[in-house]
């Protein structure tokens, strides 16, 4: 099973915010640059994470992004379930529908495997994702434009 790019970006944003110091409010653009993801994708992910109550986004001067307490304690399984589209791993009901769907055992087996995947992620919290060595590495990442001395786009 492969996660969507949207979920991948969302998880990376959450991880970066998990190691931010309370007074370091990062902008969506800064997080996108540091994580090397397109700003528009990061903005959509931040909006969804805000809807889920994981990230708080403050606008204006002195604004920025901050991981909520609920976000720190949430499990990766809960986040992935919320970010990934619900549905079967295979397209039994696609157009055209699979001719085996009425008597197929594969669909149920894949559904159990998908739930086992999520259940294994339910044991991992956002805070645990940023334990060493990951947290220090995330803090060492800087805007690519600042590293090279050239302006970031």
């Amino acid at each position: 099973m492969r996660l969507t790019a949207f979920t991948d970006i969302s998880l990376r944003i959450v991880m970066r915010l998990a190691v931010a110091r309370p007074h370091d409010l990062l902008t969506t653009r800064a997080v996108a640059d540091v994580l090397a993801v397109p700003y528009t994708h990061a903005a959509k992910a931040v909006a969804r994470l805000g809807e889920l109550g994981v990230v708080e986004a403050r606008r204006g001067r002195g604004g920025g992004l901050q991981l909520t307490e609920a976000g720190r304690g949430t499990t990766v399984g809960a986040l992935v379930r919320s970010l990934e589209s619900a549905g079967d791993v295979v397209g039994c009901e696609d157009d055209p529908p699979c001719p085996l769907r009425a008597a197929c055992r594969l669909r149920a087996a894949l559904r159990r495997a998908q739930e086992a995947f999520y259940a294994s992620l339910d044991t991992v919290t956002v805070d645990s994702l940023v334990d060493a060595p990951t947290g220090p590495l995330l803090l060492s990442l800087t805007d690519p434009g600042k590293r090279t001395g050239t302006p970031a786009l």
Side-chain angles (χ1 to χ4, degrees), residues 11 14-16 18-19 54 67-80 118-132 134 138:
L11 291 171
V14 166
M15 290 171 64
R16 178 56 185 94
V19 296
V54 174
L67 194 63
T68 64
E69 280 305 311
R72 288 187 181 286
T74 196
T75 68
V76 176
L79 272 175
V80 172
Y118 289 137
S120 71
L121 294 176
D122 285 336
T123 65
V124 181
T125 64
V126 168
D127 264 348
S128 71
L129 285 177
V130 295
D131 288 340
T134 307
L138 283 164

Side-chain angles (χ1 to χ4, degrees), residues 33-53:
D33 290 345
V34 165
L35 296 175
V37 298
Y39 170 77
T40 54
H41 297 321
K44 288 176 187 174
V46 165
R48 180 68 178 128
L49 291 167
E51 292 169 5
L52 295 173

Side-chain angles (χ1 to χ4, degrees), residues 43-148:
K44 288 176 187 174
V46 165
R48 180 68 178 128
L49 291 167
E51 292 169 5
L52 295 173
V54 174
V55 170
E56 179 184 354
R58 293 188 221 150
R59 293 180 175 256
R61 188 173 178 91
L65 306 175
Q66 192 169 29
L67 194 63
T68 64
E69 280 305 311
R72 288 187 181 286
T74 196
T75 68
V76 176
L79 272 175
V80 172
R81 277 185 192 92
S82 298
L83 296 168
E84 287 289 309
S85 61
D88 291 322
V89 176
V90 292
C92 302
E93 302 299 331
D94 288 353
D95 189 24
C98 176
L100 304 176
R101 71 187 181 285
C104 184
R105 293 180 177 201
L106 179 62
R107 184 182 205 174
L110 290 172
R111 188 174 292 132
R112 286 191 304 274
Q114 182 180 30
E115 189 47 45
F117 171 76
Y118 289 137
S120 71
L121 294 176
D122 285 336
T123 65
V124 181
T125 64
V126 168
D127 264 348
S128 71
L129 285 177
V130 295
D131 288 340
T134 307
L137 175 64
L138 283 164
L139 287 172
S140 74
L141 297 176
T142 59
D143 180 334
K146 291 180 182 173
R147 273 186 290 197
T148 62

